[in-house]
Structures are given as structure tokens and as C-alpha cells.
Amino acid sequence: GTKPVSPTNPARHIPWPARPCAGPGETCQVSDFLQPKSFLKTCRGASSDPGEGDRRVVFLFQRIYYLSLEFYMGRTLQNTMINLGLQNACDEAIYQLGLDMEELEEIEEDAGLGNGGLGRLAACFLDSMATLGLAAYGYGIRYEYGIFNQKIRDGWQVEEADDWLRHGNPWEKARPEYMLPVHFYGRVEHTAAGAKWVDTQVVLALPYDTPVPGYMNNTVNTMRLWSARAPNDFNLRDFNVGDYIQAVLDRNLAENISRVLYPNDNVSRDGGVDVLGVFQAACSAWMGIAVAIQLNDTHPAMAIPELMRIFVDIEKLPWNKAWDITKRTFAYTNHTVLPEALERWPVDLVEKLLPRHLQIIYEINQRHLDHIASLFPNDVDRLRRMSLIEEGGTKRINMAHLCIVGSHAVNGVAKIHSEIVKTQVFKDFAALEPEKFQNKTNGITPRRWLLLCNPGLAELIAEKIGEDYVRDLSQLTKLHEFVDDDLFIREVAKVKQENKAKFALYLEKEYKVKINPSSMFDVHVKRIHEYKRQLMNCLHIVTMYNRIRRDPAKLFVPRTVIIGGKAAPGYHMAKMIIKLINTVAQVVNNDPVVGSKLKVIFLENYRVSLAEKVIPATDLSEQISTAGTEASGTGNMKFMLNGALTIGTMDGANVEMAEEAGEENLFIFGMRVEDVTELDREGYNAQEYYDRLPELKQAIDQIKSGFFSPNEPDLFKDVVNMLFHHDRFKVFADYEAYVKCQEKVSELYLNSKAWTKMVIRNIAAAGKFSSDRTIKEYARDIWHVEPSDLKIPPPNE
Ligand SMILES: *Cc1c(COP(=O)(O)O)cnc(C)c1O
């Protein structure tokens, strides 16, 4: 084979394969891409205390594993050049060859191994963990097909397979030497020597490593993604002996495990597909020398019983010792409180697929319930509420309960969300162990979400406050000094205008749509979901349209409303919302009375590389979820950092953005969580708002009567019916406040200077939302490790 070369510094590279750790006191070569300096630094202070009964599993080194079913990485080329400090040199070299770097970068496929915020968070965390010099690994699944490509045909979403590996993947390296067997099915024998899981079917897990370079610190971490392979004797060993061809064809059954990313965002995958989480968990628990395993939601929750199985059945640790280590190792991040997104796996399924794990879960549950019963005697209802197993109807495992019980820390992803987790959704658990519950407000990496996507703004900032802010984003507060600096204000406005012009050109080239670059770019991009309320935005569009038509001579601040996002293929209402937006757009965009005042664009196939284009070009960021439903949001932070103003509800991290920038520097409107709770208590009646608000009535009547879809007048009857009779997200209740708030937005936009000053105040306040800050908090409060934060210059300087 070819000799592998380190992406940073071949001279300092550790030869492959790294020698496995042998025992306490041994010098150990850790990861394949990890540089020795950062490794030694993070290993200092590591504990090596092989407790009673510990044999092979010894906690030697501070290795952190971030377990996630999604890593939404996007493209890698430009990010690699930036983090290695090679971008200018590469640009120059490519130019000398008569090529254009940007054109080259456009050729790379997105690694779309994620749905939205949760997967992108994992990707931002990898960047920050490497930048902070933590010996941290991302562990996940190497899907052969990532998130589908979205096509819009006649206004409808059509899904296309994302064959992202078609031309190969230059960033990964298969590591067959680390292949592992993963067991499924079979049965459990209880012997004098303990439980034995026998007659299993084996699937092989083949890891692929991708380097994760830190920003200018001579450190490279590893993302290890696992691919399912059928063993050569699959379906041949015990049966089907006669049918060789069929046995080869059946290899697909095993390999389907890592075939395709499940395209549901904020929805629990249905039973039967969770083989995936099991597969990853099994691959991951064999890491052996973790000090911390962070679970990105409950998707990889089976890692908990799997680690217990390894300790108890294989390493023969006593249960209590095994449980103590397991709890100290795992930590769980909750990402949503929407009931449809909380995972509940059917017991029947787990019993067939993983009989030993189910027994272990039962044992965990028994001890957990015994403990509660001892604290709260005769409180049967509490036992029922807190059980890991839900009875009544299909018996199910409550995966969040398993994660809470099996972890030493549970965190939400923004202050308001963590509060809801602690005081509402899991309040019984918080009553039991209040100190377990934490908050870790999400963040984004400023390397990709500023340096990479908005070099104009990044440079302008560096001119004013130096370049250190890239590693310490809190330094952005220094920009407050320049809020009244007329030259700086003009320069910030100019960069935005340039970004808008560039994006307009892109739309014209790729989609043949012409937009007015001096109009306000009002952008709502994220997964399409009822709770994110793209419908409310749509009602605002219709309202603006009606106002223009009612009085065409009246001053109207021109807007280009851009909405983008994918709907889960099985989510009917989300797909209808896309169709509605496109249908309204068709009418609005072709009405001569409207002209260039209002344009509506549905941005096809929203993904990481498209986010990098549209966010720097945005004036107004739409973050309008029903209060209490968006756990954090990270799109909101990207926009803030890139000089957009936010119109939003007091939900998720919007609350903290308002806290940082001052509420007067955001366009906050609508119900707060308390108001929503109160309205629920009274009973939400959509009809009331419809009867009271003539513009809402007009918009709804138009949608209902086929004004926008004359050939199919009934097209949106499901949507309208939902809005009146079962709108869990109360669109009508916030409509009036939203429209009024949008009027204020338009008014401010007329005053370019005042607008830009508010933009500067927002950028100056965005420092908190660096994922470096988030990761430092995880390191300090959950993982108990010291980031080394190396500042070694790259070798070529
Ligand atoms: C950041 C990001 C998201 C998350 O956006 P939210 O507005 O927080 O839901 C989703 N998709 C992509 C491509 C992103 O980059």
C-alpha cells in the first residue's frame, strides 16, 4: 500500500498503525492523526488507578469520545487550509497554475451525514476540541448515503439519493486492522461463570478515520466512522449452505446497517431501524480507555448497557464496580423536549436483537426502582413515571430515562431548554439528583462560520481588534468601541452589500432567478418543521402581498424573502408547507403590481455549503419557533456572527443572544414560555384570532379558497384545517405580534446607518456563541479535563 502522510507535518507524524496501549505506566501512542505534543499535554494528570477487579480495562488517558449518529461536516478542503494556515499559499499556488480556488472548492461533495442542528453541532465540536488540544474522538457511522438531495419539482419536494462517495473520499482512510465484530440476535446462557451470549449473528464494523485539524495549533484529532461489513461466512456457516449465490446477495442485509442516514430531524426513528444506534454503541464501547463518553442525544444510548456487558460478562467486574465506572464515564446531552422526538424502543425488538442488553437494562431498572422505592415508600406512581420500561400497550424502553440513570451528567443545550428539562420533562429525576442536571449552551465554530464563509467581515474585524479573536471569540466585545465610527459602519455595510451581490449572482447562475440586491434579504433557513413555524413566515408574506396590492403607491421597503430547508420524506405537513411557499411565491413573483418590491425564493437543497453562502448575505434572520420548542438553535448564532439582525421569539438560545446584545438590539416578539403555558391552560382557540384579525382572515381565506392555487382550490385544506383545529404550535396566536414586529424591522432598514450600528452591536455580542466556549464548559464541568490550548505555530512559519 501507499505510505500514509500526515496532513500537517509529515516529519512529526506518528507511524501507522499506532501501537495499542499496553498498561499503566506504558508510553502510549494514541491516535493516528494526533500529534505527540498535544497528546502528552492532555495525558498529564491522567489517572491510572486499576481498582479492585479491574483487569484489562484501565483508565489511563484522558481520551474523550463524542458519540453521535450524525456528523454534518459539509466540505473539508477550505476548512483544512484555514486551520493549517495554508489558505493564502494554496490560493496563490492554484492561481499560478491558472486555476481558480473557489471553482475547485465547488467540486467537493458535502459530507452530509446529518439532518440539521444536532449533526452540525457535532461537527463544530470536533473543530473546537481539536483547536483546544483535547484528545477527543468523534465516533459515528459512515453512511454510504447522506441526507438526500432535495429537488423542487412543480413546487413539491422530491428526494434524490446522496451518493456522496461516488468519486471516492480523499479525506478518509480505512483501518481494516481495527475491524471489530458486532453481535446481534442469539440467546443468553446463564452459567456458573456468568452470562454467556451465544448463537449470535456477527456483523463486522470497519472503521474509517478522517483527520480533524485544530486551528493553527499543530494538532490533528480523528473522526472515526464505522461501516458495516458482512463476514465472509455470512449466511453460509449454519444454513443456506446450498445456495451460494443467495448467500452472497444476502450480505446486503448486514451491510444495510450503515447504508443510509435516517432523514428525520427532531422525530424518533421508528422501531427496527435502531440497529444503527446499537451498531455504533457496540463499536464504541470497545474503545476501552475512555475517561468520558458524551452521548449526542439518546441515539447511541445502547453504549451504556454495552459497556456494562463488557465489564460484567467479559471482564468479570462485580456489578457495582462496573456500574460505578459506567456512570462516571457517560454523560448525556438532551436535544429536544418534543414528545415525538423522545426515543422509546419496543422491548420486543431489543429482546430479539440484543437479548443480553435487555437483561442488563432490566437489572439497571430493578436497582434504580429499588432505590427510588427506598426514598419514596408507597409512591407507586413515581415508580411508574421514572421506570426505564413503559408498560401499557406496547412495552417500550424510555431511552432518555436509560441515559439519565446511566450518566453522571445530563445537559440541555441552552439555558431556557435546560430549565425545561430540569423542571418539567425530567423533573422527577432532577428531584432525585439535582446536581446531575446542567446547561451547556450550544455554540458554532468561528473558523467555518466566519473565517471560511465571510472572509470580508473576518478581515475587517481583524483590522480593528487583531486576529486573536478567532481563538477567543469573547474579544469581539472590543468592537463596541467602533459602534460610532462612521468609517467602520460604512465598511461593515459594504461587506454585507458585497456578500449580497455575490449571493444574488450565485442564484442567477445556478437557479436562473434574479433578485434585487438592494432589497432586504429576509432569510428563514432550517429544517422544515411545524414548530419552526415557516407557516407564520408564509402568512407574513401573504400579508405583505395584500398590503402592496391594496395600496400600490404606498411606501414599501423592498424585501427578498428566502426560505429553505428539507422536509423529512414521511412528514406530510412539512411537505405541504414547502408546496405552499412555492405556490405563494409563484403568484407573488409574477404579479406586476408587486414588481421588485417583494420576491419570494424557496432555496432548494439547503445544506452546509449553501448555508455558508446565504448566511453572510442575510440582513434579517428568522428564528420564530413557538417559545419552549426550539432547544437552542445554532443557525441563529451563525446569522448573528455574520451581521444579520434577528427577528425571533424568546426561545432557545435567542434568549441568551438577547441577553448578550441587549433585547433592544434584536426584534423580539410574541409569547414567552409562560404565555404559552397560560394559553394552554385557557385552551388555544385559533378561530378567535381569525375572527379578530382581518389581515389574518384574508390570508387564510385566500389559501383556503385556492387564490394561489386556482387549478386545485382544495390543495391546502389540510394545512388550513390544521391551523384551525390542531395547531400544536399556535401560529395564529403570534401572528399579530409578528407582523407588527416586521413593520419595525422595515422601518429600521430604511435607516441604513442605524441598522448597521445595531448589526455591529450584535457582532460585538456574539462571542459567547463560539463552540470553543461550549467545549471548555463540557471539559470543565462534565469531562473534568484540562484543555491544553496549545499555541504552537505551524511548521512552515
Ligand atoms: C446550522 C445548520 C442547521 C441548524 O439550523 P437551526 O436554525 O438551528 O435549526 C441546519 N442545517 C444546516 C445546513 C446548518 O448549517
Side-chain angles (χ1 to χ4, degrees):
T2 50
K3 212 171 154 216
V5 174
S6 158
T8 32
N9 181 353
R12 294 199 205 172
H13 185 62
I14 307 170
W16 292 7
R19 197 159 54 81
C21 297
E26 270 281 313
T27 332
C28 172
Q29 295 176 341
V30 169
S31 113
D32 322 302
F33 294 102
L34 202 66
Q35 298 286 332
K37 272 194 182 164
S38 95
F39 168 62
L40 291 177
K41 191 106 179 203
T42 42
C43 280
R44 216 170 289 149
S47 79
S48 56
D49 171 29
E52 190 194 14
D54 285 10
R55 289 214 312 273
R56 195 176 59 78
V57 184
V58 175
F59 283 71
L60 269 179
F61 303 109
Q62 297 188 329
R63 292 169 74 165
I64 293 146
Y65 292 87
Y66 194 82
L67 262 58
S68 179
L69 268 287
E70 302 185 14
F71 285 92
Y72 202 172
M73 302 296 282
R75 290 175 178 154
T76 295
L77 177 60
Q78 195 187 355
N79 183 248
T80 304
M81 293 188 297
I82 287 175
N83 280 18
L84 301 186
L86 298 171
Q87 193 177 26
N88 290 339
C90 291
D91 282 355
E92 179 64 20
I94 290 295
Y95 180 78
Q96 293 294 333
L97 290 169
L99 300 168
D100 177 53
M101 185 59 99
E102 263 191 62
E103 230 174 274
L104 225 53
E105 286 162 355
E106 283 297 309
I107 295 169
E108 186 179 354
E109 294 271 351
D110 277 38
L113 309 186
N115 276 290
L118 175 147
R120 184 54 232 175
L121 184 76
C124 284
F125 280 2
L126 291 185
D127 184 85
S128 287
M129 291 189 295
T131 296
L132 294 169
L134 289 171
Y137 296 73
Y139 265 52
I141 303 285
R142 180 179 175 275
Y143 301 105
E144 209 174 301
Y145 294 87
I147 186 68
F148 62 85
N149 282 310
Q150 177 193 56
K151 292 276 155 67
I152 302 297
R153 299 265 179 270
D154 187 30
W156 297 99
Q157 167 174 299
V158 174
E159 299 90 18
E160 264 182 15
D162 168 43
D163 189 6
W164 72 294
L165 295 168
R166 184 169 39 216
H167 302 293
N169 174 7
W171 304 108
E172 69 180 9
K173 170 80 180 72
R175 309 305 302 276
E177 66 273 33
Y178 294 140
M179 193 141 66
L180 291 175
V182 176
H183 297 261
F184 294 102
Y185 302 104
R187 61 196 169 77
V188 182
E189 282 178 356
H190 291 276
T191 70
K196 275 176 90 171
W197 186 18
V198 296
D199 295 343
T200 57
Q201 285 190 32
V202 172
V203 177
L204 297 175
L206 172 63
Y208 286 75
D209 287 353
T210 298
V212 180
Y215 178 70
M216 303 281 275
N217 65 350
N218 206 30
T219 297
V220 182
N221 281 355
T222 299
M223 174 176 71
R224 176 164 287 179
L225 301 182
W226 299 83
S227 176
R229 291 298 151 98
N232 288 336
D233 64 355
F234 188 77
N235 272 7
L236 273 179
R237 203 175 22 183
D238 306 320
F239 42 91
N240 281 348
V241 180
D243 196 347
Y244 162 73
I245 295 292
Q246 192 56 48
V248 173
L249 294 178
D250 284 351
R251 294 170 66 81
N252 276 322
L253 269 36
E255 297 180 355
N256 279 346
I257 291 175
S258 58
R259 193 78 69 204
V260 54
L261 170 82
Y262 276 84
N264 287 332
D265 184 71
N266 269 302
V267 181
S268 164
R269 298 157 299 158
D270 49 354
V273 301
D274 297 308
V275 183
L276 212 69
V278 172
F279 178 72
Q280 188 198 357
C283 301
S284 307
W286 275 104
M287 299 171 297
I289 55 168
V291 298
I293 303 177
Q294 191 69 39
L295 301 172
N296 197 20
D297 214 311
T298 59
H299 313 150
M302 289 307 274
I304 293 172
E306 171 69 355
L307 192 61
M308 282 300 287
R309 186 185 68 85
I310 294 167
F311 285 150
V312 173
D313 293 356
I314 298 171
E315 298 302 326
K316 308 295 182 193
L317 292 200
W319 179 280
N320 286 333
K321 179 80 191 172
W323 185 238
D324 177 56
I325 301 172
T326 298
K327 271 184 72 157
R328 282 192 288 120
T329 303
F330 283 103
Y332 156 55
T333 304
N334 172 279
H335 281 270
T336 177
V337 297
L338 294 181
E340 64 268 37
L342 296 174
E343 294 196 301
R344 295 177 159 91
W345 296 13
V347 163
D348 284 353
L349 182 94
V350 177
E351 188 167 21
K352 260 200 300 197
L353 203 63
L354 295 170
R356 180 57 186 147
H357 294 73
L358 184 65
Q359 288 178 354
I360 290 170
I361 291 168
Y362 280 160
E363 181 70 30
I364 293 170
N365 196 35
Q366 189 60 58
R367 290 163 185 258
H368 159 65
L369 294 178
D370 286 349
H371 175 61
I372 297 163
S374 74
L375 294 173
F376 303 92
N378 306 319
D379 194 345
V380 182
D381 197 56
R382 183 181 300 266
L383 294 180
R384 186 191 52 73
R385 293 197 309 265
M386 296 183 73
S387 176
L388 308 193
I389 309 293
E390 295 179 351
E391 318 254 355
T394 315
K395 236 170 129 179
R396 290 172 183 275
I397 307 169
N398 185 314
M399 302 309 280
H401 290 186
L402 172 62
C403 287
I404 295 170
V405 170
S407 299
H408 67 281
V410 175
N411 74 281
V413 289
K415 270 189 203 164
I416 188 175
H417 165 66
S418 298
E419 207 49 37
I420 293 169
V421 162
K422 194 170 162 168
T423 63
Q424 295 176 45
V425 186
F426 301 120
K427 61 171 181 288
D428 291 323
F429 291 88
L432 203 65
E433 302 178 285
E435 66 294 337
K436 192 186 259 193
F437 287 78
Q438 302 191 19
N439 171 245
K440 295 287 165 282
T441 299
N442 281 168
I444 55 169
T445 169
R447 272 71 67 183
R448 182 176 296 263
W449 298 113
L450 185 57
L451 293 202
L452 183 153
C453 70
N454 201 343
L457 182 59
E459 232 165 88
L460 189 54
I461 294 170
E463 275 172 30
K464 293 293 171 197
I465 66 172
E467 289 180 2
D468 286 352
Y469 77 93
V470 176
R471 265 183 246 241
D472 174 13
L473 206 63
S474 65
Q475 293 189 25
L476 285 178
T477 52
K478 293 179 189 168
L479 288 176
H480 275 126
E481 223 185 286
F482 303 97
V483 173
D484 296 312
D485 178 332
D486 281 342
L487 181 60
F488 185 63
I489 295 168
R490 278 203 303 277
E491 283 172 328
V492 169
K494 181 161 160 263
V495 167
K496 180 61 73 180
Q497 204 47 53
E498 286 165 359
N499 292 340
K500 289 171 70 176
K502 188 172 174 186
F503 185 67
L505 212 62
Y506 169 82
L507 282 185
E508 202 173 328
K509 234 177 89 192
E510 298 295 318
Y511 300 96
K512 318 287 171 226
V513 289
K514 260 192 140 82
I515 57 175
N516 171 9
S518 63
S519 63
M520 181 203 307
F521 285 13
D522 169 349
V523 177
H524 198 178
V525 286
K526 49 182 75 241
R527 287 298 290 253
I528 309 290
H529 202 297
E530 284 162 272
Y531 86 82
K532 291 175 183 279
R533 297 202 292 194
Q534 283 92 358
L535 272 175
M536 194 163 71
N537 190 336
C538 195
L539 290 176
H540 176 239
I541 293 169
V542 174
T543 303
M544 288 190 291
Y545 174 64
N546 289 332
R547 285 182 182 183
I548 294 170
R549 296 205 325 153
R550 208 175 301 135
D551 188 356
K554 192 172 172 202
L555 172 85
F556 184 87
V557 181
R559 282 203 196 212
T560 302
V561 183
I562 298 171
I563 304 178
K566 293 173 185 175
Y571 188 173
H572 172 250
M573 190 55 66
K575 289 184 144 176
M576 289 308 301
I577 293 170
I578 292 176
K579 175 65 176 172
L580 175 61
I581 293 164
N582 281 303
T583 305
V584 169
Q586 186 72 24
V587 171
V588 171
N589 295 348
N590 293 296
D591 191 326
V593 175
V594 173
S596 62
K597 286 179 183 163
L598 180 61
K599 284 278 173 276
V600 182
I601 309 288
F602 188 89
L603 194 59
E604 189 179 83
N605 205 25
Y606 180 61
R607 61 196 186 281
V608 173
S609 59
L610 193 48
E612 290 163 8
K613 294 184 174 75
V614 68
I615 291 171
T618 298
D619 294 306
L620 183 66
S621 158
E622 300 268 353
Q623 308 297 337
I624 59 177
S625 52
T626 316
T629 65
E630 184 74 272
S632 164
T634 48
N636 46 2
M637 303 168 185
K638 298 168 196 166
F639 284 105
M640 184 189 199
L641 185 58
N642 281 278
L645 297 186
T646 302
I647 183 165
T649 47
M650 275 298 200
D651 199 19
N654 297 353
V655 176
E656 288 156 81
M657 285 162 50
E659 201 172 286
E660 293 295 304
E663 200 171 321
E664 70 282 7
N665 291 305
L666 283 79
F667 294 96
I668 299 289
F669 71 94
M671 295 180 288
R672 320 275 155 145
V673 170
E674 302 76 37
D675 303 323
V676 176
T677 311
E678 172 64 16
L679 187 53
D680 272 326
R681 217 177 44 76
E682 289 170 9
Y684 166 60
N685 179 6
Q687 185 76 36
E688 262 172 42
Y689 302 91
Y690 170 89
D691 291 338
R692 184 162 58 78
L693 304 167
E695 289 190 293
L696 174 62
K697 180 173 187 306
Q698 184 185 11
I700 291 295
D701 288 348
Q702 285 167 323
I703 293 167
K704 192 165 66 175
S705 68
F707 176 92
F708 296 104
S709 54
N711 296 326
E712 269 179 282
D714 282 346
L715 189 56
F716 301 111
K717 70 169 192 306
D718 288 0
V719 177
V720 172
N721 187 53
M722 179 275 291
L723 285 170
F724 275 110
H725 303 294
H726 34 92
D727 178 7
R728 297 164 56 208
F729 304 105
K730 306 179 175 66
V731 169
F732 289 6
D734 271 340
Y735 165 87
E736 187 182 22
Y738 180 53
V739 171
K740 286 209 169 113
C741 193
Q742 288 283 18
E743 290 167 13
K744 287 199 201 149
V745 172
S746 287
E747 196 185 304
L748 186 70
Y749 195 73
L750 284 175
N751 183 344
S752 165
K753 186 170 170 183
W755 179 280
T756 306
K757 286 174 77 160
M758 197 181 278
V759 163
I760 294 168
R761 285 187 213 108
N762 270 269
I763 299 170
K768 174 174 178 183
F769 305 104
S770 167
S771 47
D772 298 346
R773 186 271 312 151
T774 313
I775 287 298
K776 281 184 193 167
E777 292 180 6
Y778 276 92
R780 185 191 63 201
D781 305 334
I782 298 179
W783 305 332
H784 308 297
V785 297
E786 286 269 308
S788 69
D789 206 358
L790 296 180
K791 284 184 178 118
I792 304 165
N796 57 331
E797 276 183 18

